[in-house]
Coordinates of all heavy atoms in Angstrom, one line a residue:
M1 N -37.2 9.0 7.1 CA -37.0 7.6 6.6 C -37.6 7.5 5.2 O -38.7 8.0 5.0 CB -37.8 6.7 7.6 CG -38.1 5.4 7.1 SD -37.5 4.1 8.3 CE -37.9 2.7 7.4
S2 N -36.9 6.8 4.4 CA -37.4 6.6 3.0 C -37.4 5.2 2.6 O -36.7 4.4 3.2 CB -36.7 7.5 2.0 OG -35.4 7.0 1.9
H3 N -38.2 4.9 1.6 CA -38.2 3.5 1.0 C -37.9 3.6 -0.5 O -38.2 4.6 -1.1 CB -39.6 2.9 1.2 CG -39.9 2.7 2.7 ND1 -39.3 1.8 3.5 CD2 -40.9 3.2 3.4 CE1 -39.8 1.8 4.7 NE2 -40.8 2.6 4.7
Q4 N -37.4 2.5 -0.9 CA -37.0 2.4 -2.3 C -38.1 1.7 -3.1 O -38.7 0.7 -2.7 CB -35.7 1.6 -2.5 CG -35.1 1.8 -3.9 CD -33.9 1.0 -4.0 OE1 -33.9 -0.3 -3.9 NE2 -32.7 1.6 -4.1
V5 N -38.4 2.3 -4.3 CA -39.5 1.7 -5.2 C -38.8 1.3 -6.5 O -38.1 2.1 -7.1 CB -40.6 2.7 -5.4 CG1 -41.7 2.1 -6.3 CG2 -41.2 3.2 -4.1
V6 N -39.1 0.1 -6.9 CA -38.7 -0.3 -8.3 C -39.9 -0.4 -9.1 O -40.9 -1.0 -8.8 CB -38.0 -1.7 -8.2 CG1 -37.5 -2.1 -9.6 CG2 -36.8 -1.7 -7.3
L7 N -39.8 0.3 -10.2 CA -41.0 0.4 -11.1 C -40.7 -0.5 -12.4 O -39.8 -0.3 -13.1 CB -41.1 1.9 -11.6 CG -42.3 2.3 -12.4 CD1 -43.6 1.9 -11.7 CD2 -42.2 3.8 -12.7
R8 N -41.5 -1.5 -12.5 CA -41.4 -2.5 -13.6 C -42.3 -2.1 -14.7 O -43.4 -1.6 -14.4 CB -41.6 -3.9 -13.1 CG -40.6 -4.3 -12.1 CD -40.2 -5.8 -12.4 NE -39.0 -6.1 -11.7 CZ -39.0 -7.1 -10.8 NH1 -40.0 -7.8 -10.6 NH2 -37.8 -7.3 -10.2
P9 N -42.2 -2.5 -15.9 CA -41.1 -3.3 -16.4 C -39.8 -2.6 -16.7 O -38.8 -3.3 -17.0 CB -41.7 -3.9 -17.7 CG -42.6 -2.9 -18.2 CD -43.2 -2.2 -17.0
Q10 N -39.7 -1.3 -16.6 CA -38.5 -0.6 -17.0 C -37.4 -0.7 -15.9 O -36.3 -0.2 -16.1 CB -38.8 0.9 -17.2 CG -39.9 1.2 -18.2 CD -41.3 1.4 -17.4 OE1 -41.5 0.8 -16.4 NE2 -42.1 2.3 -17.9
N11 N -37.7 -1.1 -14.7 CA -36.8 -1.2 -13.6 C -36.3 0.2 -13.2 O -35.1 0.4 -12.9 CB -35.6 -2.2 -13.9 CG -36.1 -3.6 -13.8 OD1 -37.0 -3.9 -13.1 ND2 -35.5 -4.4 -14.6
I12 N -37.1 1.2 -13.2 CA -36.8 2.5 -12.7 C -36.8 2.5 -11.2 O -37.8 2.0 -10.6 CB -37.8 3.5 -13.3 CG1 -37.7 3.6 -14.8 CG2 -37.6 4.9 -12.7 CD1 -38.8 4.3 -15.4
V13 N -35.8 3.1 -10.6 CA -35.7 3.1 -9.1 C -35.9 4.5 -8.6 O -35.3 5.4 -9.1 CB -34.4 2.5 -8.6 CG1 -34.3 2.5 -7.1 CG2 -34.2 1.1 -9.2
F14 N -36.7 4.7 -7.6 CA -36.8 6.0 -7.0 C -37.1 5.8 -5.5 O -37.5 4.7 -5.1 CB -37.9 6.9 -7.7 CG -39.3 6.4 -7.7 CD1 -40.2 6.9 -6.7 CD2 -39.7 5.5 -8.6 CE1 -41.5 6.4 -6.7 CE2 -41.0 5.0 -8.6 CZ -41.9 5.5 -7.6
S15 N -37.0 6.9 -4.7 CA -37.2 6.7 -3.3 C -38.4 7.6 -2.9 O -38.8 8.6 -3.5 CB -36.0 7.2 -2.5 OG -35.7 8.5 -2.9
V16 N -39.1 7.0 -1.9 CA -40.3 7.7 -1.4 C -40.0 8.1 0.1 O -39.7 7.2 0.9 CB -41.5 6.7 -1.4 CG1 -42.8 7.5 -0.9 CG2 -41.7 6.1 -2.7
Q17 N -40.2 9.3 0.4 CA -40.0 9.8 1.8 C -41.2 9.5 2.6 O -42.3 9.5 2.0 CB -39.7 11.3 1.8 CG -38.6 11.8 0.9 CD -37.3 11.2 1.3 OE1 -37.0 11.0 2.5 NE2 -36.4 10.8 0.3
Q18 N -41.1 9.5 3.9 CA -42.2 9.3 4.8 C -43.2 10.5 4.5 O -42.7 11.6 4.4 CB -41.8 9.3 6.2 CG -42.8 8.6 7.0 CD -42.2 8.3 8.4 OE1 -41.2 8.9 8.8 NE2 -42.8 7.4 9.2
G19 N -44.5 10.3 4.5 CA -45.5 11.3 4.3 C -45.7 11.7 2.9 O -46.5 12.6 2.6
Q20 N -45.0 11.1 2.0 CA -45.2 11.3 0.6 C -45.9 10.1 -0.1 O -45.6 9.0 0.3 CB -43.8 11.4 -0.1 CG -43.6 12.5 -1.0 CD -42.1 12.5 -1.5 OE1 -41.4 11.5 -1.4 NE2 -41.8 13.5 -2.2
T21 N -46.8 10.4 -1.0 CA -47.4 9.2 -1.7 C -46.4 8.8 -2.8 O -45.5 9.5 -3.1 CB -48.7 9.6 -2.4 OG1 -48.4 10.6 -3.4 CG2 -49.8 10.2 -1.5
V22 N -46.7 7.5 -3.2 CA -45.8 7.0 -4.2 C -45.8 7.8 -5.5 O -44.7 8.1 -6.1 CB -46.2 5.5 -4.6 CG1 -45.5 4.9 -5.7 CG2 -46.1 4.7 -3.3
L23 N -47.0 8.3 -5.9 CA -47.0 9.2 -7.1 C -46.3 10.5 -6.9 O -45.5 10.9 -7.7 CB -48.5 9.4 -7.4 CG -48.7 10.4 -8.6 CD1 -48.2 9.8 -9.9 CD2 -50.2 10.8 -8.8
E24 N -46.5 11.1 -5.7 CA -45.8 12.4 -5.5 C -44.3 12.2 -5.6 O -43.6 13.0 -6.1 CB -46.1 12.9 -4.0 CG -47.2 13.8 -3.9 CD -47.6 14.0 -2.4 OE1 -47.0 13.4 -1.5 OE2 -48.5 14.7 -2.2
A25 N -43.8 11.1 -5.0 CA -42.4 10.9 -5.0 C -41.9 10.7 -6.4 O -40.8 11.3 -6.8 CB -42.1 9.6 -4.2
A26 N -42.6 9.9 -7.2 CA -42.2 9.7 -8.6 C -42.2 11.0 -9.4 O -41.2 11.3 -10.1 CB -43.1 8.7 -9.3
L27 N -43.2 11.8 -9.2 CA -43.3 13.1 -10.0 C -42.2 14.0 -9.6 O -41.6 14.7 -10.4 CB -44.7 13.7 -9.9 CG -45.8 12.9 -10.4 CD1 -47.1 13.6 -10.2 CD2 -45.6 12.5 -11.9
N28 N -41.9 14.1 -8.2 CA -40.9 14.9 -7.8 C -39.5 14.6 -8.3 O -38.6 15.4 -8.4 CB -40.7 14.8 -6.2 CG -41.8 15.7 -5.6 OD1 -42.4 16.5 -6.2 ND2 -42.0 15.5 -4.3
Q29 N -39.4 13.3 -8.7 CA -38.1 12.9 -9.2 C -38.1 12.8 -10.8 O -37.3 12.1 -11.4 CB -37.7 11.5 -8.6 CG -37.3 11.8 -7.1 CD -37.3 10.5 -6.3 OE1 -36.4 9.8 -6.2 NE2 -38.4 10.3 -5.6
N30 N -39.1 13.4 -11.4 CA -39.3 13.5 -12.8 C -39.4 12.2 -13.5 O -38.9 12.0 -14.6 CB -38.1 14.3 -13.4 CG -38.0 15.7 -13.0 OD1 -39.1 16.3 -12.9 ND2 -36.9 16.2 -12.7
I31 N -40.1 11.3 -12.8 CA -40.3 9.9 -13.4 C -41.7 10.0 -14.0 O -42.7 10.5 -13.5 CB -40.3 8.9 -12.3 CG1 -38.8 8.7 -11.9 CG2 -40.9 7.6 -12.7 CD1 -38.5 8.2 -10.6
V32 N -41.7 9.5 -15.3 CA -43.0 9.5 -16.0 C -43.9 8.4 -15.4 O -43.6 7.2 -15.4 CB -42.7 9.1 -17.5 CG1 -44.0 9.1 -18.3 CG2 -41.8 10.2 -18.1
F33 N -45.0 8.9 -14.8 CA -45.9 8.0 -14.1 C -47.3 8.4 -14.4 O -47.7 9.5 -14.3 CB -45.6 8.2 -12.6 CG -46.0 7.0 -11.7 CD1 -45.0 6.2 -11.1 CD2 -47.3 6.8 -11.4 CE1 -45.4 5.2 -10.3 CE2 -47.7 5.7 -10.6 CZ -46.7 4.9 -10.1
P34 N -48.1 7.4 -14.9 CA -49.4 7.8 -15.4 C -50.2 8.4 -14.2 O -50.2 7.8 -13.1 CB -50.1 6.4 -15.8 CG -48.9 5.5 -15.9 CD -47.8 6.0 -15.1
H35 N -50.9 9.5 -14.4 CA -51.8 10.1 -13.4 C -52.7 11.1 -14.0 O -52.4 11.6 -15.1 CB -50.9 10.7 -12.3 CG -50.2 11.9 -12.8 ND1 -49.1 11.8 -13.5 CD2 -50.4 13.2 -12.6 CE1 -48.6 13.1 -13.8 NE2 -49.4 13.9 -13.2
R36 N -53.7 11.4 -13.3 CA -54.6 12.6 -13.7 C -55.1 13.3 -12.5 O -54.5 14.3 -12.2 CB -55.8 12.1 -14.6 CG -55.5 11.9 -16.0 CD -56.6 12.1 -17.0 NE -57.9 11.6 -16.5 CZ -58.4 10.4 -16.9 NH1 -57.7 9.6 -17.7 NH2 -59.5 10.0 -16.5
C37 N -56.0 12.7 -11.8 CA -56.7 13.5 -10.7 C -55.9 13.7 -9.5 O -56.0 14.7 -8.8 CB -58.0 12.8 -10.4 SG -57.8 11.3 -9.5
Q38 N -55.1 12.7 -9.1 CA -54.2 12.7 -7.9 C -55.1 12.6 -6.6 O -54.5 13.0 -5.6 CB -53.3 13.9 -7.9 CG -52.3 13.9 -9.1 CD -51.1 14.7 -8.9 OE1 -50.6 14.8 -7.8 NE2 -50.6 15.3 -9.9
V39 N -56.3 12.3 -6.7 CA -57.2 12.2 -5.5 C -57.9 10.8 -5.4 O -58.9 10.7 -4.7 CB -58.2 13.4 -5.4 CG1 -57.4 14.7 -5.1 CG2 -59.1 13.4 -6.6
G40 N -57.5 9.9 -6.2 CA -58.1 8.5 -6.1 C -59.4 8.4 -6.9 O -60.1 7.5 -6.6
A41 N -59.6 9.2 -7.8 CA -60.9 9.2 -8.6 C -60.8 8.6 -10.0 O -61.7 8.0 -10.5 CB -61.5 10.5 -8.6
C42 N -59.7 8.8 -10.7 CA -59.6 8.5 -12.1 C -59.0 7.1 -12.4 O -59.2 6.5 -13.5 CB -58.9 9.5 -12.9 SG -57.1 9.4 -12.6
A43 N -58.3 6.5 -11.5 CA -57.6 5.2 -11.6 C -56.5 5.2 -12.7 O -56.0 4.1 -13.0 CB -58.6 4.1 -11.9
A44 N -56.1 6.4 -13.1 CA -55.0 6.4 -14.1 C -53.7 5.9 -13.5 O -52.8 5.4 -14.1 CB -54.8 7.8 -14.6
C45 N -53.5 6.1 -12.2 CA -52.3 5.7 -11.5 C -52.3 4.3 -10.9 O -51.4 3.9 -10.2 CB -52.1 6.7 -10.3 SG -53.3 6.5 -9.0
L46 N -53.3 3.5 -11.3 CA -53.5 2.2 -10.7 C -52.3 1.3 -11.2 O -52.1 1.3 -12.4 CB -54.8 1.6 -11.2 CG -55.5 0.6 -10.4 CD1 -55.8 1.1 -9.0 CD2 -56.8 0.2 -11.0
C47 N -51.6 0.7 -10.3 CA -50.6 -0.3 -10.7 C -50.7 -1.5 -9.7 O -51.5 -1.4 -8.8 CB -49.3 0.4 -10.8 SG -48.7 1.0 -9.2
R48 N -49.8 -2.4 -9.9 CA -49.9 -3.6 -9.1 C -48.6 -3.8 -8.2 O -47.5 -3.6 -8.8 CB -50.1 -4.9 -9.9 CG -51.2 -5.8 -9.4 CD -51.7 -6.7 -10.5 NE -50.8 -7.1 -11.5 CZ -49.8 -8.0 -11.2 NH1 -49.7 -8.6 -10.1 NH2 -49.0 -8.3 -12.2
I49 N -48.8 -4.1 -7.0 CA -47.6 -4.4 -6.1 C -47.1 -5.8 -6.3 O -47.9 -6.7 -6.1 CB -48.0 -4.2 -4.6 CG1 -48.6 -2.8 -4.4 CG2 -46.8 -4.4 -3.7 CD1 -49.2 -2.6 -3.0
E50 N -45.9 -5.9 -6.7 CA -45.3 -7.3 -6.8 C -44.7 -7.7 -5.4 O -44.7 -8.8 -5.0 CB -44.2 -7.3 -7.8 CG -44.8 -7.3 -9.2 CD -43.8 -7.5 -10.3 OE1 -42.5 -7.5 -10.0 OE2 -44.2 -7.8 -11.5
S51 N -44.1 -6.7 -4.7 CA -43.7 -7.0 -3.3 C -43.7 -5.7 -2.5 O -43.5 -4.6 -3.1 CB -42.4 -7.7 -3.3 OG -41.3 -6.8 -3.7
G52 N -43.9 -5.8 -1.2 CA -43.9 -4.7 -0.4 C -45.3 -4.4 0.2 O -46.3 -5.0 -0.2
Q53 N -45.3 -3.4 1.1 CA -46.6 -3.0 1.8 C -46.8 -1.5 1.6 O -45.9 -0.7 1.6 CB -46.4 -3.2 3.3 CG -46.3 -4.7 3.7 CD -47.7 -5.3 3.6 OE1 -48.7 -4.7 3.8 NE2 -47.7 -6.6 3.2
V54 N -48.1 -1.2 1.5 CA -48.4 0.3 1.4 C -49.6 0.5 2.5 O -50.2 -0.5 2.9 CB -48.9 0.7 0.0 CG1 -47.8 0.7 -1.0 CG2 -50.2 0.0 -0.4
S55 N -49.8 1.7 2.8 CA -50.9 2.1 3.7 C -51.6 3.3 3.1 O -51.0 4.0 2.2 CB -50.4 2.4 5.1 OG -49.7 3.6 5.0
Y56 N -52.8 3.5 3.5 CA -53.6 4.6 3.0 C -54.2 5.4 4.1 O -54.6 4.9 5.1 CB -54.8 4.1 2.1 CG -54.4 3.4 0.9 CD1 -54.4 2.0 0.9 CD2 -54.1 4.0 -0.3 CE1 -54.0 1.3 -0.2 CE2 -53.7 3.3 -1.4 CZ -53.7 1.9 -1.4 OH -53.3 1.3 -2.5
Q57 N -54.3 6.8 3.9 CA -55.0 7.6 4.9 C -56.5 7.5 4.5 O -57.4 7.5 5.3 CB -54.5 9.0 4.9 CG -53.3 9.2 5.7 CD -52.7 10.6 5.7 OE1 -53.2 11.4 4.9 NE2 -51.7 10.8 6.4
L58 N -56.7 7.5 3.2 CA -58.1 7.5 2.6 C -58.1 6.1 1.9 O -57.5 6.0 0.8 CB -58.2 8.6 1.7 CG -59.5 9.0 1.2 CD1 -60.4 9.6 2.4 CD2 -59.4 10.1 0.1
E59 N -58.9 5.2 2.3 CA -59.0 3.9 1.7 C -59.5 4.0 0.2 O -60.6 4.6 0.0 CB -59.9 2.9 2.4 CG -59.2 2.2 3.5 CD -58.1 1.2 3.0 OE1 -58.3 0.5 2.0 OE2 -57.0 1.2 3.7
P60 N -58.8 3.5 -0.8 CA -59.3 3.6 -2.2 C -60.4 2.6 -2.4 O -60.6 1.7 -1.7 CB -58.0 3.3 -3.0 CG -57.2 2.4 -2.1 CD -57.5 2.8 -0.7
L61 N -61.1 2.8 -3.5 CA -62.2 2.0 -3.9 C -61.7 0.8 -4.6 O -61.6 0.7 -5.8 CB -63.1 2.7 -4.8 CG -63.9 3.9 -4.2 CD1 -64.6 4.7 -5.2 CD2 -64.9 3.4 -3.1
L62 N -61.2 -0.2 -3.8 CA -60.7 -1.5 -4.4 C -61.5 -2.6 -3.8 O -61.8 -2.6 -2.5 CB -59.3 -1.7 -4.0 CG -58.2 -0.8 -4.8 CD1 -56.9 -1.0 -4.1 CD2 -58.2 -1.2 -6.2
T63 N -61.9 -3.6 -4.6 CA -62.6 -4.8 -4.0 C -61.5 -5.6 -3.3 O -60.3 -5.5 -3.4 CB -63.2 -5.6 -5.1 OG1 -62.2 -6.1 -5.9 CG2 -64.2 -4.8 -5.9
E64 N -62.0 -6.5 -2.4 CA -61.1 -7.4 -1.7 C -60.2 -8.2 -2.7 O -59.1 -8.4 -2.5 CB -61.9 -8.5 -0.8 CG -62.5 -7.9 0.4 CD -61.4 -7.2 1.3 OE1 -60.3 -7.8 1.5 OE2 -61.7 -6.0 1.7
K65 N -60.9 -8.6 -3.8 CA -60.1 -9.4 -4.8 C -59.0 -8.5 -5.4 O -57.9 -9.0 -5.6 CB -61.1 -9.9 -5.9 CG -60.5 -10.8 -6.9 CD -61.5 -11.7 -7.6 CE -60.7 -12.6 -8.5 NZ -61.2 -12.7 -9.8
E66 N -59.3 -7.3 -5.7 CA -58.3 -6.4 -6.3 C -57.2 -6.2 -5.3 O -56.0 -6.1 -5.7 CB -59.0 -5.1 -6.7 CG -59.8 -5.2 -8.0 CD -60.7 -4.0 -8.2 OE1 -61.0 -3.2 -7.2 OE2 -61.1 -3.8 -9.3
K67 N -57.5 -6.0 -4.0 CA -56.5 -5.9 -3.0 C -55.6 -7.1 -3.0 O -54.4 -7.0 -2.9 CB -57.1 -5.6 -1.6 CG -57.6 -4.2 -1.5 CD -58.0 -4.0 0.0 CE -59.0 -2.9 0.0 NZ -59.8 -2.9 1.3
E68 N -56.3 -8.3 -3.0 CA -55.5 -9.5 -3.0 C -54.6 -9.6 -4.2 O -53.4 -10.1 -4.1 CB -56.4 -10.7 -3.1 CG -56.8 -11.4 -1.8 CD -57.9 -12.3 -2.0 OE1 -57.9 -13.1 -3.0 OE2 -58.8 -12.3 -1.1
Q69 N -55.0 -9.1 -5.3 CA -54.2 -9.1 -6.5 C -53.1 -8.0 -6.5 O -52.2 -8.0 -7.4 CB -55.1 -8.9 -7.8 CG -56.0 -10.1 -8.0 CD -57.1 -9.8 -9.1 OE1 -57.4 -8.6 -9.3 NE2 -57.6 -10.8 -9.7
G70 N -53.1 -7.2 -5.5 CA -52.0 -6.2 -5.3 C -52.2 -4.9 -5.9 O -51.3 -4.1 -6.0
W71 N -53.5 -4.6 -6.4 CA -53.7 -3.3 -7.1 C -53.5 -2.2 -6.1 O -54.0 -2.3 -4.9 CB -55.1 -3.3 -7.7 CG -55.2 -4.2 -8.9 CD1 -55.8 -5.4 -8.9 CD2 -54.6 -4.0 -10.2 NE1 -55.7 -5.9 -10.2 CE2 -55.0 -5.1 -11.0 CE3 -53.9 -2.9 -10.8 CZ2 -54.5 -5.2 -12.3 CZ3 -53.5 -3.1 -12.1 CH2 -53.8 -4.2 -12.8
M72 N -52.9 -1.1 -6.5 CA -52.8 0.0 -5.6 C -53.0 1.3 -6.3 O -52.7 1.4 -7.5 CB -51.5 0.1 -4.9 CG -50.4 0.8 -5.6 SD -49.0 1.1 -4.5 CE -47.9 2.0 -5.6
F73 N -53.5 2.3 -5.6 CA -53.7 3.7 -6.2 C -52.4 4.5 -5.8 O -52.3 4.8 -4.6 CB -54.9 4.4 -5.6 CG -56.2 4.0 -6.3 CD1 -56.8 2.8 -6.0 CD2 -56.8 4.9 -7.2 CE1 -58.0 2.5 -6.6 CE2 -57.9 4.6 -7.8 CZ -58.6 3.3 -7.6
S74 N -51.6 4.7 -6.7 CA -50.3 5.3 -6.4 C -50.4 6.7 -5.8 O -49.6 7.2 -5.0 CB -49.4 5.4 -7.6 OG -49.4 4.1 -8.2
C75 N -51.5 7.4 -6.2 CA -51.7 8.8 -5.7 C -52.2 8.9 -4.2 O -52.2 9.9 -3.6 CB -52.6 9.6 -6.6 SG -54.3 9.0 -6.6
L76 N -52.6 7.7 -3.7 CA -53.1 7.7 -2.3 C -52.2 6.8 -1.4 O -52.3 6.8 -0.2 CB -54.5 7.1 -2.3 CG -55.6 7.8 -3.0 CD1 -56.9 7.0 -2.9 CD2 -55.8 9.2 -2.5
A77 N -51.2 6.1 -2.0 CA -50.5 5.0 -1.3 C -49.2 5.6 -0.6 O -48.5 6.3 -1.3 CB -50.2 3.9 -2.2
Y78 N -49.0 5.3 0.6 CA -47.8 5.6 1.3 C -47.0 4.3 1.5 O -47.6 3.2 1.9 CB -48.1 6.2 2.7 CG -48.8 7.5 2.6 CD1 -50.2 7.5 2.7 CD2 -48.1 8.6 2.5 CE1 -50.9 8.7 2.6 CE2 -48.8 9.9 2.4 CZ -50.2 9.9 2.4 OH -50.8 11.1 2.3
A79 N -45.7 4.3 1.1 CA -44.9 3.1 1.2 C -44.6 2.8 2.7 O -44.2 3.6 3.4 CB -43.6 3.4 0.5
E80 N -44.8 1.5 3.0 CA -44.5 1.1 4.4 C -43.3 0.2 4.4 O -42.8 -0.3 5.4 CB -45.7 0.3 5.0 CG -46.9 1.1 5.2 CD -46.8 2.2 6.3 OE1 -45.9 2.1 7.1 OE2 -47.5 3.2 6.2
S81 N -42.8 -0.1 3.2 CA -41.6 -0.9 3.0 C -41.0 -0.6 1.6 O -41.6 0.2 0.9 CB -41.9 -2.4 3.1 OG -42.7 -2.8 2.0
D82 N -39.9 -1.2 1.3 CA -39.4 -1.1 -0.1 C -40.5 -1.8 -0.9 O -41.1 -2.7 -0.5 CB -38.1 -1.8 -0.3 CG -37.0 -1.0 0.4 OD1 -37.2 0.2 0.8 OD2 -35.9 -1.5 0.5
L83 N -40.7 -1.2 -2.2 CA -41.7 -1.8 -3.0 C -41.2 -2.1 -4.4 O -40.3 -1.5 -4.9 CB -42.8 -0.7 -3.3 CG -43.6 -0.1 -2.1 CD1 -44.5 1.0 -2.6 CD2 -44.5 -1.2 -1.5
V84 N -41.8 -3.2 -5.0 CA -41.7 -3.4 -6.4 C -43.1 -3.3 -7.0 O -44.0 -4.0 -6.5 CB -41.1 -4.8 -6.7 CG1 -41.0 -5.1 -8.2 CG2 -39.7 -5.0 -6.0
I85 N -43.3 -2.4 -7.9 CA -44.6 -2.2 -8.5 C -44.5 -2.3 -10.0 O -43.4 -2.1 -10.6 CB -45.2 -0.9 -8.1 CG1 -44.4 0.3 -8.6 CG2 -45.5 -0.8 -6.6 CD1 -44.9 1.7 -8.2
T86 N -45.6 -2.6 -10.6 CA -45.6 -2.9 -12.1 C -46.9 -2.3 -12.8 O -47.9 -2.3 -12.2 CB -45.5 -4.4 -12.4 OG1 -45.4 -4.5 -13.8 CG2 -46.6 -5.2 -11.8
F87 N -46.7 -1.9 -14.0 CA -47.8 -1.5 -14.8 C -48.2 -2.6 -15.8 O -49.1 -2.4 -16.6 CB -47.5 -0.2 -15.6 CG -47.6 1.0 -14.7 CD1 -46.5 1.6 -14.2 CD2 -48.9 1.5 -14.4 CE1 -46.6 2.7 -13.4 CE2 -49.0 2.6 -13.5 CZ -47.8 3.2 -13.0
S88 N -47.4 -3.7 -15.7 CA -47.7 -4.8 -16.6 C -48.7 -5.7 -16.0 O -48.8 -5.9 -14.8 CB -46.4 -5.5 -16.9 OG -46.7 -6.9 -17.1
D89 N -49.6 -6.3 -16.8 CA -50.6 -7.2 -16.3 C -50.2 -8.6 -16.1 O -50.9 -9.4 -15.5 CB -51.8 -7.2 -17.3 CG -52.8 -6.1 -17.0 OD1 -52.7 -5.5 -15.9 OD2 -53.7 -5.9 -17.8
E90 N -49.0 -8.9 -16.6 CA -48.6 -10.3 -16.5 C -47.9 -10.6 -15.1 O -47.4 -9.8 -14.4 CB -47.5 -10.6 -17.5 CG -48.2 -10.8 -18.9 CD -47.4 -10.1 -20.0 OE1 -46.2 -10.1 -20.0 OE2 -48.1 -9.4 -20.8
Ligands
LIG101 S1 -54.3 9.9 -10.3 FE1 -56.4 9.6 -10.4 S2 -56.7 7.9 -9.1 FE2 -54.6 8.3 -8.8

């Protein structure tokens, strides 16, 4: 089972397979996606969820407020639904 991810603001679309993190899926599909450590330490892959649900095996270091604002660590996040995510702050 896979989910579709739309990456804003460029509106790039890619799919995430079950068991794959959002970052892994993007890199496998040659999508330019900011990242460094891939283990939830550097925050380079931090982006914001506009719609959809993710889950984590390893909870990232996000405050309640950041979670409410939709911030997610793409290198740790598994898609639980189709997602719209953004690197824009607006
Ligand atoms: S790539 Fe470093 S926190 Fe995700």
Side-chain angles (χ1 to χ4, degrees):
M1 163 128 182
S2 69
H3 294 295
Q4 192 181 67
V5 181
V6 179
L7 185 58
R8 295 222 166 121
Q10 308 95 324
N11 288 329
I12 296 166
V13 180
F14 61 98
S15 56
V16 187
Q17 307 299 323
Q18 205 169 15
Q20 224 180 13
T21 64
V22 173
L23 177 64
E24 266 168 0
L27 297 181
N28 280 348
Q29 288 160 84
N30 294 322
I31 287 154
V32 178
F33 204 106
H35 67 285
R36 275 209 320 264
C37 70
Q38 301 198 33
V39 292
C42 73
C45 67
L46 208 58
C47 62
R48 226 161 32 77
I49 301 170
E50 287 191 346
S51 71
Q53 288 291 326
V54 296
S55 67
Y56 296 99
Q57 276 175 359
L58 193 69
E59 274 293 319
L61 294 170
L62 287 169
T63 63
E64 284 306 313
K65 186 154 184 229
E66 287 166 337
K67 282 188 206 161
E68 264 169 42
Q69 291 167 340
W71 291 104
M72 89 166 184
F73 277 80
S74 310
C75 65
L76 300 178
Y78 297 93
E80 296 294 338
S81 68
D82 289 348
L83 296 174
V84 180
I85 59 179
T86 181
F87 282 102
S88 150
D89 269 347
E90 284 136 42

